[in-house]
Amino acid sequence: MAKDITLMWGAGSPPCWRVMIALEEKNLQGYKSKQLSFEKGEHKLKEVTDINPRGQLPAFKHGNIVLNESYGACLYLEDQFKSQGNKLIPDNKAESALMYQRMFEGLTLFQKIAQSLFYTRFVPENERHDSAVKRNRDDLKTEVKLWEGYLQGTGPYLAGKNFSLADVIVFPVIAFLFRFGLNEEHYPKLAAYHNTVKDRPSIKNTWPPNWKDTPGQDALKDL
Amino acid sequence: MAKDITLMWGAGSPPCWRVMIALEEKNLQGYKSKQLSFEKGEHKLKEVTDINPRGQLPAFKHGNIVLNESYGACLYLEDQFKSQGNKLIPDNKAESALMYQRMFEGLTLFQKIAQSLFYTRFVPENERHDSAVKRNRDDLKTEVKLWEGYLQGTGPYLAGKNFSLADVIVFPVIAFLFRFGLNEEHYPKLAAYHNTVKDRPSIKNTWPPNWKDTPGQDALKDL
């Protein structure tokens, strides 16, 4: 069915994971799936850069059509397979607006995570400052609190009562927070959301394989 | 017609501008438009934070529905007013995929612009490094060259022969480059794109008012 789809991905990467979730939700199992290792630098292999000249994962193809931007791939899959699998854009106007709002705020959440957790990866040693480390962490805390607040009013999903593209796209980012030790007691609404959604088949079937075998980290336990 | 739409915006901000272009393209003139000044800090006014708790512009409302994320607002307007004004998502599968690809790569382009041009705005004085300034500028140059290359193969629009959401969203970012002095001779394809699209009615009608009266800057003239 989905033999004309190719996805190259790296484990635990929210951009890769969300495309995998979208494929499951649209009943597009059976695509050509190739797991590559960021650690080994395999995202710079020619087979990746032939599809994604930025040398990033995901690298995604549908027939001869290339679409490597993960948000774009999710929107495209919903457009192309509207009546197949689960509907991911709610008909209700208010719910669809909230879906778009959360989807794109998810970019800010992930940016603040990356800025804080991967500071030493992105900032050369001679340019590092404790003041920046502290500011990035404070910014991340403020951002995570905002999301905890969002889930006070709505639920069980990010845009309300229906699972939507907002969840496809942002759940992997929230799962990432818990993988890095976010304390469930400090963020009970986010924890409840995480615990509800993680058992959904599309999520279970695509859970990062390396997360199953290795313990999480505790970088965020005091956030 | 569009009296139930409110947009608060700041001049020259690509996120604000793209929502204004989308409104024009969908024939939604006559909305409640309020220009605010970033310089005066008006994006932190209560009338903004009541709609957009992040204290950012745009702040956008359709009836009681709030949608402040500019990408989201553009997608929502296309969804809700599909058969009104200009169609912004091509029917052709390959063209729609290219549209999504460029739309979301636009985030990277804008991020690299911001990182380079607004370095002193974002980085406190004691954390600044010449090595970072140079790297950010090199990264921006690499990125802009990539876009120059994209326009070699396609055109006249970013996703091919039709004006689409990719243009609604990324044109303001490309216009921003030229406003900051990008040299037309170094980037002839981007210049041709800029010159073609800038005369489109939706763009002319929403051109940043402060850009009309003040000279551009030359920060990027040697890029």
Side-chain angles (χ1 to χ4, degrees), chain B residues 12-67:
Chain B
S13 142
C16 296
W17 192 4
R18 64 174 63 111
V19 180
M20 299 167 85
I21 297 169
L23 288 163
E24 293 283 322
E25 292 287 337
K26 302 312 287 181
N27 279 346
L28 291 162
Q29 292 88 355
Y31 58 91
K32 283 183 219 132
S33 163
K34 182 156 191 178
Q35 185 184 349
L36 295 171
S37 160
F38 290 114
E39 289 70 26
K40 293 183 190 156
E42 291 176 345
H43 51 299
K44 301 295 177 190
L45 286 175
K46 185 170 179 301
E47 63 182 316
V48 176
T49 55
D50 280 349
I51 297 179
N52 189 343
R54 291 184 185 269
Q56 294 172 340
L57 298 174
F60 174 81
K61 266 179 94 167
H62 180 206
N64 290 322
I65 293 172
V66 169
L67 215 182

Side-chain angles (χ1 to χ4, degrees), chain A residues 54 65 67-69 71-72 76 79-80 93 97 100-101 104-105 124 126-127 129 131-132 135 143 146, chain B residues 54 65 67-69 71-72 76 79-80 93-94 97 100-101 104-105 124 126-127 129 131-132 135 143 146:
Chain A
R54 292 183 185 270
I65 293 172
L67 215 182
N68 301 309
E69 290 289 328
Y71 273 65
Y76 170 86
D79 276 1
Q80 295 301 320
K93 202 184 345 188
Y100 284 125
Q101 175 68 21
F104 290 103
E105 287 188 88
N126 66 317
E127 294 176 14
H129 295 271
S131 50
R135 185 176 60 252
E143 184 69 25
L146 201 57
Chain B
R54 291 184 185 269
I65 293 172
L67 215 182
N68 300 308
E69 291 289 327
Y71 273 65
Y76 170 87
D79 276 1
Q80 295 301 319
K93 201 183 346 186
Y100 284 125
Q101 175 69 19
F104 290 102
E105 287 188 88
N126 66 316
E127 294 176 14
H129 295 270
S131 50
R135 186 176 57 252
E143 184 68 25
L146 201 56

Side-chain angles (χ1 to χ4, degrees), chain B residues 159-171:
Chain B
K161 62 185 193 306
N162 296 301
F163 183 89
S164 74
L165 273 185
D167 304 290
V168 169
I169 283 176
V170 184
F171 174 81

Side-chain angles (χ1 to χ4, degrees), chain A residues 130-203:
Chain A
D130 291 344
S131 50
V133 169
K134 183 180 179 319
R135 185 176 60 252
N136 290 343
R137 193 165 168 102
D138 290 346
D139 285 353
L140 176 58
K141 186 169 184 165
T142 302
E143 184 69 25
V144 176
K145 280 186 170 173
L146 201 57
W147 287 82
E148 176 72 10
Y150 290 158
L151 286 163
Q152 304 285 341
T154 55
Y157 299 109
L158 289 176
K161 62 185 193 307
N162 296 300
F163 183 89
S164 74
L165 274 184
D167 303 290
V168 169
I169 284 176
V170 184
F171 175 81
V173 181
I174 290 171
F176 206 82
L177 288 169
F178 286 105
R179 172 74 185 171
F180 279 83
L182 194 73
N183 188 323
E184 296 209 348
E185 287 173 21
H186 296 177
Y187 301 96
K189 293 284 174 188
L190 278 168
Y193 171 74
H194 181 242
N195 287 321
T196 301
V197 178
K198 78 177 171 18
D199 289 329
R200 191 174 171 92
S202 67
I203 309 284

